[in-house]
Short mmCIF file of all heavy atoms in Angstrom, two decimals:
data_model
loop_
_atom_site.label_atom_id
_atom_site.label_comp_id
_atom_site.label_asym_id
_atom_site.label_seq_id
_atom_site.Cartn_x
_atom_site.Cartn_y
_atom_site.Cartn_z
N LEU N 242 -59.27 -50.88 -255.70
CA LEU N 242 -58.11 -50.00 -255.79
C LEU N 242 -58.38 -48.83 -256.74
O LEU N 242 -58.01 -47.68 -256.46
CB LEU N 242 -56.88 -50.78 -256.25
CG LEU N 242 -56.30 -51.79 -255.25
CD1 LEU N 242 -55.08 -52.47 -255.85
CD2 LEU N 242 -55.94 -51.12 -253.94
N VAL N 243 -59.03 -49.11 -257.85
CA VAL N 243 -59.37 -48.05 -258.80
C VAL N 243 -60.37 -47.09 -258.17
O VAL N 243 -60.24 -45.86 -258.28
CB VAL N 243 -59.93 -48.64 -260.11
CG1 VAL N 243 -60.55 -47.55 -260.98
CG2 VAL N 243 -58.84 -49.37 -260.88
N VAL N 244 -61.37 -47.66 -257.49
CA VAL N 244 -62.36 -46.82 -256.80
C VAL N 244 -61.66 -45.94 -255.76
O VAL N 244 -61.90 -44.73 -255.67
CB VAL N 244 -63.44 -47.69 -256.13
CG1 VAL N 244 -64.33 -46.84 -255.22
CG2 VAL N 244 -64.28 -48.39 -257.18
N GLY N 245 -60.78 -46.58 -254.97
CA GLY N 245 -60.04 -45.84 -253.95
C GLY N 245 -59.17 -44.75 -254.56
O GLY N 245 -59.09 -43.64 -254.02
N ALA N 246 -58.51 -45.06 -255.68
CA ALA N 246 -57.63 -44.08 -256.34
C ALA N 246 -58.44 -42.88 -256.84
O ALA N 246 -58.01 -41.72 -256.71
CB ALA N 246 -56.88 -44.73 -257.49
N ILE N 247 -59.63 -43.14 -257.41
CA ILE N 247 -60.47 -42.05 -257.92
C ILE N 247 -60.92 -41.16 -256.76
O ILE N 247 -60.83 -39.93 -256.83
CB ILE N 247 -61.69 -42.62 -258.67
CG1 ILE N 247 -61.23 -43.29 -259.97
CG2 ILE N 247 -62.70 -41.51 -258.97
CD1 ILE N 247 -62.33 -44.04 -260.70
N ILE N 248 -61.39 -41.78 -255.68
CA ILE N 248 -61.87 -41.00 -254.54
C ILE N 248 -60.73 -40.26 -253.87
O ILE N 248 -60.87 -39.10 -253.44
CB ILE N 248 -62.61 -41.92 -253.54
CG1 ILE N 248 -63.89 -42.45 -254.18
CG2 ILE N 248 -62.94 -41.17 -252.24
CD1 ILE N 248 -64.65 -43.45 -253.37
N PHE N 249 -59.56 -40.89 -253.80
CA PHE N 249 -58.39 -40.22 -253.23
C PHE N 249 -58.01 -39.00 -254.07
O PHE N 249 -57.69 -37.93 -253.54
CB PHE N 249 -57.20 -41.18 -253.15
CG PHE N 249 -55.92 -40.52 -252.69
CD1 PHE N 249 -55.77 -40.13 -251.36
CD2 PHE N 249 -54.88 -40.29 -253.58
CE1 PHE N 249 -54.60 -39.51 -250.94
CE2 PHE N 249 -53.71 -39.68 -253.16
CZ PHE N 249 -53.57 -39.29 -251.83
N ALA N 250 -58.08 -39.14 -255.40
CA ALA N 250 -57.78 -38.01 -256.29
C ALA N 250 -58.77 -36.87 -256.05
O ALA N 250 -58.39 -35.70 -256.00
CB ALA N 250 -57.82 -38.45 -257.75
N LEU N 251 -60.05 -37.22 -255.88
CA LEU N 251 -61.07 -36.20 -255.63
C LEU N 251 -60.83 -35.50 -254.29
O LEU N 251 -60.85 -34.27 -254.19
CB LEU N 251 -62.46 -36.83 -255.64
CG LEU N 251 -62.95 -37.38 -256.98
CD1 LEU N 251 -64.27 -38.12 -256.81
CD2 LEU N 251 -63.13 -36.25 -258.00
N MET N 252 -60.58 -36.31 -253.23
CA MET N 252 -60.41 -35.75 -251.89
C MET N 252 -59.14 -34.90 -251.79
O MET N 252 -59.16 -33.80 -251.23
CB MET N 252 -60.38 -36.87 -250.85
CG MET N 252 -61.70 -37.63 -250.72
SD MET N 252 -61.59 -39.03 -249.58
CE MET N 252 -61.63 -38.20 -248.00
N SER N 253 -58.04 -35.42 -252.32
CA SER N 253 -56.78 -34.67 -252.23
C SER N 253 -56.83 -33.41 -253.09
O SER N 253 -56.28 -32.37 -252.71
CB SER N 253 -55.59 -35.57 -252.65
OG SER N 253 -55.74 -36.03 -253.98
N THR N 254 -57.49 -33.51 -254.25
CA THR N 254 -57.63 -32.32 -255.11
C THR N 254 -58.48 -31.26 -254.41
O THR N 254 -58.15 -30.06 -254.45
CB THR N 254 -58.29 -32.70 -256.45
OG1 THR N 254 -57.42 -33.60 -257.15
CG2 THR N 254 -58.53 -31.47 -257.31
N TRP N 255 -59.56 -31.68 -253.78
CA TRP N 255 -60.41 -30.72 -253.08
C TRP N 255 -59.66 -30.07 -251.92
O TRP N 255 -59.72 -28.85 -251.75
CB TRP N 255 -61.67 -31.41 -252.58
CG TRP N 255 -62.62 -30.46 -251.91
CD1 TRP N 255 -62.84 -30.28 -250.58
CD2 TRP N 255 -63.48 -29.51 -252.57
NE1 TRP N 255 -63.77 -29.31 -250.35
CE2 TRP N 255 -64.19 -28.81 -251.56
CE3 TRP N 255 -63.72 -29.20 -253.90
CZ2 TRP N 255 -65.11 -27.82 -251.85
CZ3 TRP N 255 -64.64 -28.20 -254.19
CH2 TRP N 255 -65.32 -27.52 -253.18
N LYS N 256 -58.96 -30.89 -251.13
CA LYS N 256 -58.23 -30.36 -249.98
C LYS N 256 -57.14 -29.39 -250.44
O LYS N 256 -56.99 -28.29 -249.90
CB LYS N 256 -57.61 -31.51 -249.19
CG LYS N 256 -56.84 -31.08 -247.94
CD LYS N 256 -57.74 -30.46 -246.93
CE LYS N 256 -56.99 -30.07 -245.67
NZ LYS N 256 -57.84 -29.31 -244.72
N THR N 257 -56.36 -29.80 -251.44
CA THR N 257 -55.28 -28.95 -251.94
C THR N 257 -55.85 -27.69 -252.60
O THR N 257 -55.34 -26.58 -252.38
CB THR N 257 -54.42 -29.72 -252.96
OG1 THR N 257 -53.93 -30.92 -252.36
CG2 THR N 257 -53.24 -28.88 -253.43
N GLY N 258 -56.92 -27.87 -253.39
CA GLY N 258 -57.52 -26.73 -254.07
C GLY N 258 -58.08 -25.70 -253.11
O GLY N 258 -57.92 -24.49 -253.31
N ARG N 259 -58.71 -26.15 -252.03
CA ARG N 259 -59.23 -25.22 -251.04
C ARG N 259 -58.10 -24.46 -250.36
O ARG N 259 -58.24 -23.27 -250.05
CB ARG N 259 -60.06 -25.97 -249.98
CG ARG N 259 -61.35 -26.57 -250.49
CD ARG N 259 -62.32 -25.57 -251.03
NE ARG N 259 -62.78 -24.61 -250.05
CZ ARG N 259 -63.60 -23.60 -250.30
NH1 ARG N 259 -64.06 -23.43 -251.53
NH2 ARG N 259 -63.98 -22.76 -249.36
N GLY N 260 -56.98 -25.16 -250.14
CA GLY N 260 -55.84 -24.48 -249.55
C GLY N 260 -55.28 -23.40 -250.46
O GLY N 260 -54.97 -22.28 -250.01
N ILE N 261 -55.16 -23.71 -251.76
CA ILE N 261 -54.65 -22.73 -252.73
C ILE N 261 -55.63 -21.56 -252.87
O ILE N 261 -55.22 -20.40 -252.91
CB ILE N 261 -54.43 -23.41 -254.10
CG1 ILE N 261 -53.29 -24.43 -254.01
CG2 ILE N 261 -54.14 -22.38 -255.18
CD1 ILE N 261 -53.12 -25.27 -255.25
N LEU N 262 -56.94 -21.88 -252.89
CA LEU N 262 -57.94 -20.83 -253.00
C LEU N 262 -57.87 -19.90 -251.79
O LEU N 262 -57.96 -18.67 -251.93
CB LEU N 262 -59.33 -21.46 -253.09
CG LEU N 262 -60.51 -20.49 -253.18
CD1 LEU N 262 -60.39 -19.61 -254.42
CD2 LEU N 262 -61.84 -21.26 -253.21
N ALA N 263 -57.68 -20.48 -250.59
CA ALA N 263 -57.57 -19.66 -249.38
C ALA N 263 -56.35 -18.74 -249.47
O ALA N 263 -56.40 -17.58 -249.06
CB ALA N 263 -57.48 -20.56 -248.15
N GLU N 264 -55.23 -19.27 -250.02
CA GLU N 264 -54.02 -18.45 -250.18
C GLU N 264 -54.27 -17.29 -251.14
O GLU N 264 -53.86 -16.15 -250.90
CB GLU N 264 -52.87 -19.32 -250.67
CG GLU N 264 -52.36 -20.33 -249.65
CD GLU N 264 -51.30 -21.25 -250.26
OE1 GLU N 264 -50.89 -21.00 -251.42
OE2 GLU N 264 -50.90 -22.22 -249.59
N ARG N 265 -54.95 -17.58 -252.27
CA ARG N 265 -55.24 -16.55 -253.26
C ARG N 265 -56.13 -15.45 -252.65
O ARG N 265 -55.90 -14.25 -252.85
CB ARG N 265 -55.94 -17.15 -254.48
CG ARG N 265 -55.14 -18.23 -255.21
CD ARG N 265 -54.08 -17.67 -256.11
NE ARG N 265 -53.57 -18.70 -257.00
CZ ARG N 265 -52.51 -19.47 -256.74
NH1 ARG N 265 -51.84 -19.32 -255.60
NH2 ARG N 265 -52.10 -20.39 -257.62
N LEU N 266 -57.14 -15.88 -251.91
CA LEU N 266 -58.05 -14.91 -251.28
C LEU N 266 -57.33 -14.11 -250.20
O LEU N 266 -57.57 -12.91 -250.02
CB LEU N 266 -59.26 -15.64 -250.67
CG LEU N 266 -60.26 -16.24 -251.67
CD1 LEU N 266 -61.31 -17.07 -250.94
CD2 LEU N 266 -60.94 -15.14 -252.48
N GLN N 267 -56.42 -14.78 -249.47
CA GLN N 267 -55.69 -14.13 -248.38
C GLN N 267 -54.84 -12.97 -248.91
O GLN N 267 -54.74 -11.92 -248.29
CB GLN N 267 -54.81 -15.16 -247.67
CG GLN N 267 -53.94 -14.60 -246.54
CD GLN N 267 -54.75 -14.20 -245.33
OE1 GLN N 267 -55.83 -14.74 -245.10
NE2 GLN N 267 -54.25 -13.26 -244.55
N ARG N 268 -54.24 -13.18 -250.10
CA ARG N 268 -53.38 -12.15 -250.67
C ARG N 268 -54.14 -10.86 -250.95
O ARG N 268 -53.60 -9.76 -250.79
CB ARG N 268 -52.76 -12.66 -251.98
CG ARG N 268 -51.73 -13.76 -251.79
CD ARG N 268 -51.25 -14.24 -253.15
NE ARG N 268 -50.47 -15.47 -253.03
CZ ARG N 268 -50.11 -16.21 -254.06
NH1 ARG N 268 -50.43 -15.82 -255.29
NH2 ARG N 268 -49.40 -17.32 -253.89
N GLY N 269 -55.40 -11.00 -251.38
CA GLY N 269 -56.16 -9.80 -251.72
C GLY N 269 -57.11 -9.34 -250.63
O GLY N 269 -57.96 -8.49 -250.87
N THR N 270 -56.95 -9.92 -249.43
CA THR N 270 -57.86 -9.57 -248.34
C THR N 270 -57.37 -8.36 -247.56
O THR N 270 -56.19 -8.29 -247.18
CB THR N 270 -58.04 -10.78 -247.39
OG1 THR N 270 -58.62 -11.86 -248.10
CG2 THR N 270 -58.95 -10.41 -246.22
N LEU N 271 -58.26 -7.43 -247.31
CA LEU N 271 -57.94 -6.26 -246.50
C LEU N 271 -58.10 -6.64 -245.03
O LEU N 271 -59.15 -7.16 -244.64
CB LEU N 271 -58.91 -5.11 -246.84
CG LEU N 271 -58.77 -3.83 -246.01
CD1 LEU N 271 -57.46 -3.13 -246.33
CD2 LEU N 271 -59.97 -2.92 -246.27
N PRO N 272 -57.07 -6.41 -244.19
CA PRO N 272 -57.20 -6.71 -242.76
C PRO N 272 -58.41 -5.98 -242.17
O PRO N 272 -58.63 -4.80 -242.47
CB PRO N 272 -55.88 -6.22 -242.16
CG PRO N 272 -54.91 -6.27 -243.30
CD PRO N 272 -55.71 -5.93 -244.52
N ILE N 273 -59.16 -6.67 -241.34
CA ILE N 273 -60.38 -6.10 -240.79
C ILE N 273 -60.11 -4.86 -239.94
O ILE N 273 -60.93 -3.93 -239.90
CB ILE N 273 -61.17 -7.17 -239.99
CG1 ILE N 273 -62.56 -6.65 -239.62
CG2 ILE N 273 -60.40 -7.59 -238.75
CD1 ILE N 273 -63.45 -6.37 -240.79
N ASP N 274 -58.96 -4.81 -239.28
CA ASP N 274 -58.63 -3.64 -238.46
C ASP N 274 -58.54 -2.39 -239.32
O ASP N 274 -59.03 -1.30 -238.94
CB ASP N 274 -57.30 -3.85 -237.72
CG ASP N 274 -57.40 -4.98 -236.70
OD1 ASP N 274 -58.54 -5.30 -236.29
OD2 ASP N 274 -56.35 -5.54 -236.32
N LEU N 275 -57.90 -2.50 -240.50
CA LEU N 275 -57.78 -1.34 -241.40
C LEU N 275 -59.15 -0.93 -241.92
O LEU N 275 -59.45 0.26 -242.05
CB LEU N 275 -56.85 -1.68 -242.57
CG LEU N 275 -55.38 -1.92 -242.22
CD1 LEU N 275 -54.58 -2.27 -243.48
CD2 LEU N 275 -54.78 -0.68 -241.56
N PHE N 276 -59.99 -1.92 -242.22
CA PHE N 276 -61.32 -1.61 -242.73
C PHE N 276 -62.14 -0.87 -241.68
O PHE N 276 -62.85 0.10 -241.99
CB PHE N 276 -62.05 -2.89 -243.15
CG PHE N 276 -63.46 -2.65 -243.60
CD1 PHE N 276 -63.73 -2.26 -244.91
CD2 PHE N 276 -64.53 -2.79 -242.73
CE1 PHE N 276 -65.03 -2.01 -245.32
CE2 PHE N 276 -65.83 -2.55 -243.14
CZ PHE N 276 -66.08 -2.16 -244.45
N LEU N 277 -62.05 -1.33 -240.42
CA LEU N 277 -62.83 -0.69 -239.35
C LEU N 277 -62.38 0.75 -239.11
O LEU N 277 -63.19 1.63 -238.84
CB LEU N 277 -62.72 -1.51 -238.07
CG LEU N 277 -63.44 -2.87 -238.08
CD1 LEU N 277 -63.14 -3.66 -236.82
CD2 LEU N 277 -64.95 -2.68 -238.24
N LYS N 278 -61.06 0.98 -239.20
CA LYS N 278 -60.57 2.36 -239.06
C LYS N 278 -61.15 3.23 -240.16
O LYS N 278 -61.57 4.37 -239.93
CB LYS N 278 -59.05 2.38 -239.12
CG LYS N 278 -58.36 1.84 -237.88
CD LYS N 278 -56.85 1.89 -238.04
CE LYS N 278 -56.15 1.30 -236.80
NZ LYS N 278 -54.67 1.33 -236.95
N ASP N 279 -61.16 2.67 -241.37
CA ASP N 279 -61.68 3.43 -242.50
C ASP N 279 -63.20 3.62 -242.37
O ASP N 279 -63.73 4.68 -242.69
CB ASP N 279 -61.36 2.68 -243.80
CG ASP N 279 -61.75 3.48 -245.03
OD1 ASP N 279 -61.38 4.67 -245.10
OD2 ASP N 279 -62.43 2.92 -245.90
N ALA N 280 -63.90 2.57 -241.87
CA ALA N 280 -65.36 2.64 -241.73
C ALA N 280 -65.75 3.69 -240.69
O ALA N 280 -66.80 4.33 -240.81
CB ALA N 280 -65.91 1.28 -241.33
N GLY N 281 -64.88 3.89 -239.66
CA GLY N 281 -65.17 4.88 -238.64
C GLY N 281 -65.19 6.28 -239.19
O GLY N 281 -65.90 7.16 -238.69
N GLY N 282 -64.40 6.54 -240.22
CA GLY N 282 -64.34 7.89 -240.79
C GLY N 282 -65.22 8.05 -242.00
O GLY N 282 -65.34 9.15 -242.55
N ARG N 283 -65.84 6.99 -242.48
CA ARG N 283 -66.69 7.06 -243.67
C ARG N 283 -68.04 7.70 -243.33
O ARG N 283 -68.53 7.64 -242.20
CB ARG N 283 -66.95 5.65 -244.23
CG ARG N 283 -65.85 5.13 -245.13
CD ARG N 283 -66.20 3.71 -245.57
NE ARG N 283 -65.17 3.15 -246.42
CZ ARG N 283 -65.26 3.09 -247.75
NH1 ARG N 283 -66.30 3.61 -248.36
NH2 ARG N 283 -64.29 2.55 -248.45
N THR N 284 -68.63 8.24 -244.34
CA THR N 284 -69.97 8.81 -244.17
C THR N 284 -71.00 7.95 -244.91
O THR N 284 -72.04 8.45 -245.33
CB THR N 284 -70.00 10.24 -244.72
OG1 THR N 284 -69.58 10.22 -246.11
CG2 THR N 284 -69.11 11.15 -243.91
N ALA N 285 -70.66 6.67 -245.11
CA ALA N 285 -71.59 5.77 -245.80
C ALA N 285 -72.91 5.72 -245.04
O ALA N 285 -72.93 5.64 -243.81
CB ALA N 285 -70.98 4.37 -245.90
N GLN N 286 -73.97 5.78 -245.79
CA GLN N 286 -75.29 5.77 -245.17
C GLN N 286 -75.55 4.43 -244.50
O GLN N 286 -75.23 3.37 -245.05
CB GLN N 286 -76.36 6.05 -246.23
CG GLN N 286 -77.77 6.13 -245.66
CD GLN N 286 -78.80 6.43 -246.74
OE1 GLN N 286 -78.42 6.76 -247.87
NE2 GLN N 286 -80.07 6.33 -246.40
N ARG N 287 -76.13 4.45 -243.30
CA ARG N 287 -76.48 3.22 -242.58
C ARG N 287 -77.98 2.99 -242.76
O ARG N 287 -78.79 3.92 -242.59
CB ARG N 287 -76.14 3.34 -241.09
CG ARG N 287 -74.70 3.74 -240.77
CD ARG N 287 -73.71 2.70 -241.26
NE ARG N 287 -73.65 1.52 -240.46
CZ ARG N 287 -72.62 1.18 -239.65
NH1 ARG N 287 -71.56 1.99 -239.56
NH2 ARG N 287 -72.64 0.07 -238.98
N VAL N 288 -78.32 1.77 -243.11
CA VAL N 288 -79.72 1.42 -243.33
C VAL N 288 -80.18 0.47 -242.23
O VAL N 288 -79.37 -0.26 -241.64
CB VAL N 288 -79.92 0.79 -244.72
CG1 VAL N 288 -79.62 1.79 -245.81
CG2 VAL N 288 -79.07 -0.46 -244.88
#
């Protein structure tokens, strides 16, 4: 039971943490459509 509780804490923490991390990243993510519109007008050098 102790082993199970420890592993459950690890698994649930990882699952929940990844969800929160995805939410945090989502808030600061630029939609790809907007980026592509901007990239079309940019003069950034292509290598």
Side-chain angles (χ1 to χ4, degrees):
L242 291 181
V243 168
V244 170
I247 292 172
I248 293 175
F249 175 72
L251 293 173
M252 294 175 76
S253 60
T254 297
W255 183 257
K256 181 65 178 174
T257 305
R259 293 299 298 178
I261 293 173
L262 179 60
E264 291 175 7
R265 300 281 193 268
L266 290 173
Q267 177 71 26
R268 291 177 191 169
T270 298
L271 176 69
I273 190 63
D274 295 339
L275 294 179
F276 176 83
L277 290 174
K278 287 179 182 179
D279 186 50
R283 276 178 181 260
T284 57
Q286 183 179 350
R287 306 297 285 251
V288 295

